[in-house]
Short mmCIF file of all heavy atoms in Angstrom, two decimals:
data_model
loop_
_atom_site.label_atom_id
_atom_site.label_comp_id
_atom_site.label_asym_id
_atom_site.label_seq_id
_atom_site.Cartn_x
_atom_site.Cartn_y
_atom_site.Cartn_z
N GLU A 220 -137.65 156.82 65.00
CA GLU A 220 -137.69 156.22 63.68
C GLU A 220 -138.67 156.95 62.79
O GLU A 220 -138.39 157.20 61.59
CB GLU A 220 -138.09 154.76 63.80
CG GLU A 220 -137.03 153.82 64.34
CD GLU A 220 -135.91 153.62 63.37
OE1 GLU A 220 -136.17 153.45 62.17
OE2 GLU A 220 -134.74 153.60 63.82
N LEU A 221 -139.83 157.32 63.30
CA LEU A 221 -140.86 157.95 62.51
C LEU A 221 -140.58 159.44 62.22
O LEU A 221 -140.74 159.90 61.07
CB LEU A 221 -142.22 157.82 63.16
CG LEU A 221 -142.84 156.42 63.16
CD1 LEU A 221 -144.17 156.45 63.91
CD2 LEU A 221 -143.06 155.92 61.74
N PHE A 222 -140.11 160.15 63.25
CA PHE A 222 -140.04 161.61 63.12
C PHE A 222 -138.61 162.17 63.10
O PHE A 222 -138.41 163.34 62.87
CB PHE A 222 -140.82 162.28 64.24
CG PHE A 222 -142.25 161.75 64.32
CD1 PHE A 222 -142.64 160.86 65.31
CD2 PHE A 222 -143.22 162.15 63.38
CE1 PHE A 222 -143.93 160.38 65.37
CE2 PHE A 222 -144.48 161.66 63.44
CZ PHE A 222 -144.87 160.79 64.42
N GLY A 223 -137.62 161.28 63.32
CA GLY A 223 -136.22 161.71 63.28
C GLY A 223 -135.80 162.38 64.58
O GLY A 223 -136.61 162.60 65.47
N HIS A 224 -134.51 162.65 64.68
CA HIS A 224 -133.99 163.36 65.87
C HIS A 224 -132.77 164.19 65.51
O HIS A 224 -132.13 163.98 64.46
CB HIS A 224 -133.62 162.36 66.96
CG HIS A 224 -132.52 161.39 66.56
ND1 HIS A 224 -132.77 160.07 66.20
CD2 HIS A 224 -131.19 161.53 66.47
CE1 HIS A 224 -131.65 159.47 65.90
NE2 HIS A 224 -130.65 160.35 66.04
N GLU A 225 -132.45 165.13 66.35
CA GLU A 225 -131.28 165.97 66.18
C GLU A 225 -130.11 165.33 66.92
O GLU A 225 -130.28 164.53 67.87
CB GLU A 225 -131.54 167.38 66.74
CG GLU A 225 -132.59 168.14 65.97
CD GLU A 225 -132.18 168.54 64.57
OE1 GLU A 225 -131.03 168.30 64.19
OE2 GLU A 225 -133.03 169.09 63.83
N LYS A 226 -128.92 165.73 66.55
CA LYS A 226 -127.73 165.23 67.24
C LYS A 226 -127.75 165.65 68.73
O LYS A 226 -128.07 166.79 69.05
CB LYS A 226 -126.47 165.81 66.56
CG LYS A 226 -125.17 165.37 67.19
CD LYS A 226 -123.97 165.95 66.46
CE LYS A 226 -122.67 165.55 67.12
NZ LYS A 226 -121.51 166.12 66.40
N GLY A 227 -127.52 164.68 69.60
CA GLY A 227 -127.50 164.93 71.04
C GLY A 227 -128.88 165.03 71.68
O GLY A 227 -128.99 165.39 72.84
N ALA A 228 -129.93 164.69 70.94
CA ALA A 228 -131.27 164.77 71.50
C ALA A 228 -131.47 163.80 72.66
O ALA A 228 -132.25 164.04 73.58
CB ALA A 228 -132.32 164.49 70.42
N PHE A 229 -130.74 162.69 72.64
CA PHE A 229 -130.80 161.71 73.73
C PHE A 229 -129.52 160.90 73.71
O PHE A 229 -128.72 161.01 72.78
CB PHE A 229 -132.04 160.79 73.59
CG PHE A 229 -132.17 160.18 72.24
CD1 PHE A 229 -131.48 159.01 71.89
CD2 PHE A 229 -133.00 160.76 71.28
CE1 PHE A 229 -131.62 158.44 70.63
CE2 PHE A 229 -133.14 160.19 70.03
CZ PHE A 229 -132.44 159.01 69.71
N THR A 230 -129.33 160.14 74.72
CA THR A 230 -128.08 159.34 74.80
C THR A 230 -127.96 158.41 73.60
O THR A 230 -128.91 157.64 73.32
CB THR A 230 -128.07 158.51 76.12
OG1 THR A 230 -128.22 159.40 77.23
CG2 THR A 230 -126.80 157.71 76.24
N GLY A 231 -126.85 158.46 72.94
CA GLY A 231 -126.63 157.62 71.78
C GLY A 231 -126.94 158.30 70.46
O GLY A 231 -126.64 157.77 69.39
N ALA A 232 -127.57 159.50 70.49
CA ALA A 232 -127.86 160.23 69.27
C ALA A 232 -126.62 160.99 68.84
O ALA A 232 -126.50 162.21 69.02
CB ALA A 232 -129.05 161.17 69.49
N SER A 233 -125.69 160.28 68.21
CA SER A 233 -124.42 160.89 67.83
C SER A 233 -124.48 161.68 66.54
O SER A 233 -123.54 162.39 66.20
CB SER A 233 -123.36 159.76 67.70
OG SER A 233 -123.79 158.81 66.74
N ALA A 234 -125.60 161.55 65.83
CA ALA A 234 -125.75 162.31 64.59
C ALA A 234 -127.26 162.55 64.35
O ALA A 234 -128.10 161.82 64.88
CB ALA A 234 -125.16 161.55 63.39
N ALA A 235 -127.56 163.57 63.59
CA ALA A 235 -128.96 163.86 63.27
C ALA A 235 -129.49 162.74 62.36
O ALA A 235 -128.77 162.16 61.58
CB ALA A 235 -129.09 165.21 62.59
N ARG A 236 -130.77 162.50 62.42
CA ARG A 236 -131.40 161.40 61.64
C ARG A 236 -132.71 161.91 61.06
O ARG A 236 -133.50 162.50 61.76
CB ARG A 236 -131.61 160.19 62.52
CG ARG A 236 -132.27 159.00 61.77
CD ARG A 236 -132.66 157.93 62.77
NE ARG A 236 -133.33 156.83 62.07
CZ ARG A 236 -132.69 155.72 61.69
NH1 ARG A 236 -131.39 155.59 61.88
NH2 ARG A 236 -133.37 154.77 61.06
N THR A 237 -132.93 161.59 59.79
CA THR A 237 -134.19 161.91 59.12
C THR A 237 -135.22 160.81 59.43
O THR A 237 -134.87 159.60 59.27
CB THR A 237 -134.01 162.03 57.59
OG1 THR A 237 -133.09 163.08 57.33
CG2 THR A 237 -135.32 162.30 56.90
N GLY A 238 -136.39 161.18 59.82
CA GLY A 238 -137.41 160.17 60.16
C GLY A 238 -138.07 159.63 58.92
O GLY A 238 -137.97 160.19 57.82
N LEU A 239 -138.80 158.52 59.07
CA LEU A 239 -139.43 157.87 57.95
C LEU A 239 -140.61 158.66 57.39
O LEU A 239 -140.91 158.59 56.18
CB LEU A 239 -139.93 156.47 58.38
CG LEU A 239 -138.80 155.50 58.76
CD1 LEU A 239 -139.37 154.22 59.37
CD2 LEU A 239 -137.95 155.16 57.56
N VAL A 240 -141.25 159.45 58.24
CA VAL A 240 -142.34 160.32 57.72
C VAL A 240 -141.76 161.35 56.73
O VAL A 240 -142.30 161.54 55.64
CB VAL A 240 -143.04 161.04 58.89
CG1 VAL A 240 -144.07 162.05 58.35
CG2 VAL A 240 -143.70 160.05 59.80
N GLU A 241 -140.66 161.95 57.10
CA GLU A 241 -140.01 162.93 56.21
C GLU A 241 -139.47 162.23 54.95
O GLU A 241 -139.49 162.80 53.84
CB GLU A 241 -138.89 163.65 56.94
CG GLU A 241 -138.31 164.84 56.15
CD GLU A 241 -137.31 165.64 56.94
OE1 GLU A 241 -137.13 165.32 58.14
OE2 GLU A 241 -136.68 166.52 56.34
N ALA A 242 -138.97 161.00 55.11
CA ALA A 242 -138.49 160.27 53.95
C ALA A 242 -139.56 159.97 52.94
O ALA A 242 -139.30 159.81 51.74
CB ALA A 242 -137.83 158.95 54.41
N ALA A 243 -140.82 159.92 53.41
CA ALA A 243 -141.95 159.65 52.52
C ALA A 243 -142.56 160.93 51.94
O ALA A 243 -143.58 160.85 51.23
CB ALA A 243 -143.02 158.89 53.29
N ASP A 244 -141.92 162.08 52.14
CA ASP A 244 -142.45 163.35 51.68
C ASP A 244 -142.71 163.30 50.18
O ASP A 244 -141.85 162.91 49.38
CB ASP A 244 -141.44 164.48 51.99
CG ASP A 244 -142.02 165.86 51.75
OD1 ASP A 244 -143.27 165.98 51.69
OD2 ASP A 244 -141.24 166.81 51.63
N GLY A 245 -143.93 163.64 49.77
CA GLY A 245 -144.32 163.59 48.38
C GLY A 245 -144.89 162.24 47.96
O GLY A 245 -145.48 162.12 46.89
N GLY A 246 -144.72 161.24 48.82
CA GLY A 246 -145.17 159.90 48.51
C GLY A 246 -146.17 159.37 49.49
O GLY A 246 -147.00 160.10 50.01
N THR A 247 -146.04 158.07 49.79
CA THR A 247 -147.01 157.36 50.66
C THR A 247 -146.28 156.74 51.82
O THR A 247 -145.23 156.15 51.66
CB THR A 247 -147.75 156.28 49.87
OG1 THR A 247 -148.36 156.88 48.68
CG2 THR A 247 -148.81 155.63 50.70
N LEU A 248 -146.88 156.87 53.02
CA LEU A 248 -146.36 156.23 54.23
C LEU A 248 -147.34 155.12 54.63
O LEU A 248 -148.52 155.43 54.85
CB LEU A 248 -146.21 157.22 55.34
CG LEU A 248 -145.72 156.66 56.69
CD1 LEU A 248 -144.31 156.14 56.61
CD2 LEU A 248 -145.81 157.72 57.79
N PHE A 249 -146.88 153.90 54.70
CA PHE A 249 -147.72 152.77 55.11
C PHE A 249 -147.32 152.34 56.50
O PHE A 249 -146.21 151.90 56.73
CB PHE A 249 -147.57 151.59 54.12
CG PHE A 249 -148.33 150.35 54.58
CD1 PHE A 249 -149.65 150.37 54.90
CD2 PHE A 249 -147.61 149.13 54.71
CE1 PHE A 249 -150.31 149.25 55.33
CE2 PHE A 249 -148.27 148.00 55.13
CZ PHE A 249 -149.60 148.05 55.46
N LEU A 250 -148.23 152.51 57.46
CA LEU A 250 -147.98 152.09 58.85
C LEU A 250 -148.75 150.85 59.14
O LEU A 250 -149.98 150.87 59.33
CB LEU A 250 -148.39 153.22 59.81
CG LEU A 250 -147.60 154.53 59.73
CD1 LEU A 250 -148.12 155.53 60.79
CD2 LEU A 250 -146.11 154.26 59.92
N ASP A 251 -148.06 149.70 59.13
CA ASP A 251 -148.67 148.41 59.43
C ASP A 251 -148.78 148.26 60.97
O ASP A 251 -147.91 148.72 61.68
CB ASP A 251 -147.86 147.30 58.84
CG ASP A 251 -148.62 145.98 58.76
OD1 ASP A 251 -149.83 145.97 59.08
OD2 ASP A 251 -148.01 144.95 58.41
N GLU A 252 -149.83 147.58 61.38
CA GLU A 252 -150.08 147.34 62.81
C GLU A 252 -150.05 148.66 63.60
O GLU A 252 -149.37 148.78 64.63
CB GLU A 252 -149.08 146.33 63.43
CG GLU A 252 -149.18 144.96 62.79
CD GLU A 252 -150.55 144.31 62.91
OE1 GLU A 252 -151.39 144.80 63.68
OE2 GLU A 252 -150.81 143.34 62.15
N ILE A 253 -150.82 149.61 63.13
CA ILE A 253 -150.82 150.93 63.78
C ILE A 253 -151.43 150.88 65.19
O ILE A 253 -151.23 151.77 66.00
CB ILE A 253 -151.59 151.96 62.89
CG1 ILE A 253 -151.24 153.39 63.33
CG2 ILE A 253 -153.10 151.69 62.91
CD1 ILE A 253 -151.69 154.44 62.39
#
Side-chain angles (χ1 to χ4, degrees):
E220 287 289 320
L221 288 178
F222 306 104
H224 62 257
E225 295 291 355
K226 180 179 178 180
F229 50 84
T230 303
S233 56
R236 180 188 178 96
T237 299
L239 295 172
V240 175
E241 189 175 353
D244 191 18
T247 304
L248 177 67
F249 173 55
L250 295 182
D251 196 6
E252 297 303 345
I253 197 168

